[in-house]
């Protein structure tokens, strides 16, 4: 093991509180001299807000250690000289505030929450039907909401627009291979020497293994439900109780 990717929601924290043992587990991985990157599909908070939230929980983390889909979307838009049409949560809008407008449009869809109105979806559909590019920040089916229950994530709405337009979105967050590889490249780690820890058997675990990571651990916290480990292919390398158990598993098998 030469590096570790960690999901955030459901692995390090749940709602507004750290998961028991999670902060200490991050410290243990750092003490073992394992570089870390926090790879999150959250599309409701801009990166500075994510970092501020983690600091408030007692997690010492740098902004450059967090990888979220909004940054990948910004890079794509600038590289392709597209103007964003945003269907996202208001909390994420600052990430796109300074981008050029008025050019060829690209629809950017994330977890817009209450902004997923018929009017907003239909406006996005019409732009896509006219040929706009189609970017999905993430395609997760569900997330664990503040009340402890699962809620619809961006994926069902991405799928609705795909069905209506007959087109496939370019997914920029997990399980995109490029997303995983960008985080690994940032810490100089090859996929075959890296581990991923997540609570989503599809986006976190199967996605990481398809990207070539040697190890992907599924934790029984966050959105995990019994049987998730058998629902998607490839299956997890191992299923552990939480991040603390995952850190122990990784450190014990780290190698010289």
């Amino acid at each position: 093991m030469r590096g570790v990717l960690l999901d955030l929601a459901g692995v390090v924290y749940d709602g507004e509180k750290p998961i028991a043992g999670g902060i200490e587990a991050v410290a243990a991985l750092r003490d073992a001299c394992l570089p870390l990157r926090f790879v999150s599909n959250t599309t409701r908070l801009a990166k500075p807000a994510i970092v501020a939230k983690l600091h408030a929980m007692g997690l010492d983390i740098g902004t450059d250690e967090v990888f979220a889909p909004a940054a990948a979307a910004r890079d794509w838009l600038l590289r392709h000289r597209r103007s964003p049409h945003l269907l996202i949560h208001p909390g994420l809008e600052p990430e796109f505030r300074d981008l050029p407008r008025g050019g060829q449009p690209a629809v950017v869809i994330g977890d817009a929450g209450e902004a997923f109105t018929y009017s907003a979806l239909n406006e996005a559909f019409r732009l896509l039907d006219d040929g706009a590019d189609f970017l999905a920040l993430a395609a997760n089916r569900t997330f664990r909401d503040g009340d402890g229950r699962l809620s619809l994530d961006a994926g069902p709405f991405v799928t609705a627009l795909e069905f209506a337009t007959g087109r496939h979105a370019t997914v920029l967050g997990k399980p995109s291979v490029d997303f995983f590889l960008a985080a690994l490249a940032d810490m100089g780690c090859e996929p075959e020497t890296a581990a991923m820890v997540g609570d989503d058997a599809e986006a976190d675990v199967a996605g990481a293994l398809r990207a070539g990571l040697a190890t992907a651990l599924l934790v029984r916290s966050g959105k995990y439900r019994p049987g998730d480990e058998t629902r998607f292919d490839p299956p997890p390398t191992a299923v552990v109780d939480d991040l603390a158990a995952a850190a122990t598993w990784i450190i014990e098998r780290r190698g010289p």
Side-chain angles (χ1 to χ4, degrees):
M1 300 284 180
R2 293 291 180 267
V4 181
L5 303 181
L6 300 177
D7 185 26
L8 284 171
V11 176
V12 177
Y13 65 82
D14 205 346
E16 300 301 318
K17 296 181 180 179
I19 290 176
I23 304 298
E24 294 79 5
V26 171
L29 290 168
R30 292 195 193 280
D31 288 344
C33 298
L34 286 165
L36 303 177
R37 291 296 182 271
F38 298 85
V39 288
S40 174
N41 265 10
T42 183
T43 58
R44 289 195 172 192
L45 294 174
K47 187 186 288 190
I50 295 173
V51 173
K53 178 176 182 174
L54 294 169
H55 284 173
M57 293 180 184
L59 182 62
D60 183 16
I61 183 174
T63 302
D64 59 343
E65 291 183 295
V66 176
F67 274 72
R74 280 182 55 88
D75 290 345
W76 192 100
L77 291 164
L78 289 168
R79 191 167 64 252
H80 292 85
R81 299 181 181 180
R82 298 293 191 266
S83 297
H85 175 84
L86 302 175
L87 184 51
I88 61 174
H89 193 275
L92 197 63
E93 289 179 359
E95 295 275 14
F96 300 92
R97 190 167 290 155
D98 59 346
L99 289 176
R101 306 285 172 157
Q104 185 173 336
V107 171
V108 180
I109 179 170
D111 175 15
E114 299 299 323
F116 275 133
T117 63
Y118 174 82
S119 176
L121 284 163
N122 198 48
E123 184 179 7
F125 161 73
R126 289 179 172 181
L127 284 170
L128 293 170
D129 194 50
D130 287 339
D133 292 288
F134 190 3
L135 305 180
L137 298 180
N140 296 64
R141 301 169 192 268
T142 61
F143 70 97
R144 184 167 175 138
D145 217 328
D147 61 2
R149 299 182 65 187
L150 294 182
S151 289
L152 291 174
D153 209 325
F157 300 95
V158 173
T159 300
L161 288 173
E162 288 181 328
F163 176 77
T165 61
R167 297 171 56 188
H168 291 290
T170 297
V171 179
L172 297 171
K174 296 174 292 184
S176 164
V177 169
D178 289 342
F179 186 75
F180 286 108
L181 296 184
L184 292 176
D186 189 66
M187 58 182 177
C189 183
E190 297 296 328
E192 59 270 19
T193 65
M196 172 72 202
V197 182
D199 67 329
D200 188 319
E202 184 177 18
D204 294 338
V205 173
L209 293 172
R210 287 195 206 101
L213 275 74
T215 298
L217 305 181
L218 180 64
V219 293
R220 297 187 187 94
S221 58
K223 68 168 70 173
Y224 170 84
R225 291 183 293 179
D228 278 355
E229 56 269 36
T230 65
R231 292 192 176 108
F232 305 101
D233 188 59
T237 308
V239 183
V240 296
D241 284 339
D242 50 26
L243 180 53
T248 299
W249 193 101
I250 290 168
I251 292 168
E252 287 177 350
R253 293 161 178 79
R254 174 183 52 169

